[in-house]
Amino acid sequence: QVQLVDSGGGLVQAGGSLRLSCAFSGRTFSSYIMGWFRQAPGKEREFVAAVSRRGYSTTYADSVKGRFTISRDNAKNTVYLQMNSLRPEDTAVYYCAADSRGLIMTIAGEYDYWGQGTQVTVSS
């Protein structure tokens, strides 16, 4: 069974940076598309970024393009989300997710496994 453990969240001032990590175990990491989603209070979970199995292809939500970078280290079974120029509207619980299909998907329902989430709070 796949297990995902998110970490790296915290409180940061607007304009600051954070790096989230997600440790994967239980299956072959390189067989999974990996994504990051976020959910703010009272809002639906929304797509943030995703990376292909080998890390060659990435997709981002328009709201984070140019500020966030998703990457993966298949030797360490870990996916990262580097978040720069953070804004108060980035405040949310961030979740990593794994998808066994071959194409990058931006819909939460397409992902098979989820981490427990890590809180990111950006103060103005």
Side-chain angles (χ1 to χ4, degrees), residues 2-54:
V2 170
Q3 289 189 326
L4 302 175
V5 179
D6 306 323
S7 62
L11 173 63
V12 64
Q13 288 188 333
S17 298
L18 282 174
R19 189 176 82 154
L20 306 184
S21 299
C22 173
F24 176 106
S25 63
R27 291 288 189 272
T28 303
F29 180 58
S30 59
S31 297
Y32 289 80
I33 302 289
M34 298 299 297
W36 286 97
F37 288 75
R38 66 187 182 186
Q39 189 166 17
K43 295 187 177 182
E44 292 188 355
R45 192 168 297 190
E46 65 173 357
F47 172 78
V48 174
V51 61
S52 61
R53 292 168 175 171
R54 293 189 177 184

Side-chain angles (χ1 to χ4, degrees), residues 38-109:
R38 66 187 182 186
Q39 189 166 17
K43 295 187 177 182
E44 292 188 355
R45 192 168 297 190
E46 65 173 357
F47 172 78
V48 174
V51 61
S52 61
R53 292 168 175 171
R54 293 189 177 184
Y56 296 153
S57 297
T58 57
T59 300
Y60 296 93
D62 288 343
S63 59
V64 306
K65 279 181 183 176
R67 300 188 298 123
F68 291 10
T69 302
I70 188 171
S71 62
R72 65 189 297 161
D73 186 336
N74 284 353
K76 296 183 177 179
N77 291 353
T78 302
V79 61
Y80 305 98
L81 186 67
Q82 177 67 43
M83 305 186 295
N84 299 329
S85 302
L86 282 162
R87 304 167 180 170
E89 54 264 40
D90 294 319
T91 295
V93 178
Y94 283 71
Y95 300 87
C96 73
D99 177 10
S100 61
R101 298 168 184 82
L103 299 176
I104 288 179
M105 306 300 290
T106 62
I107 301 172

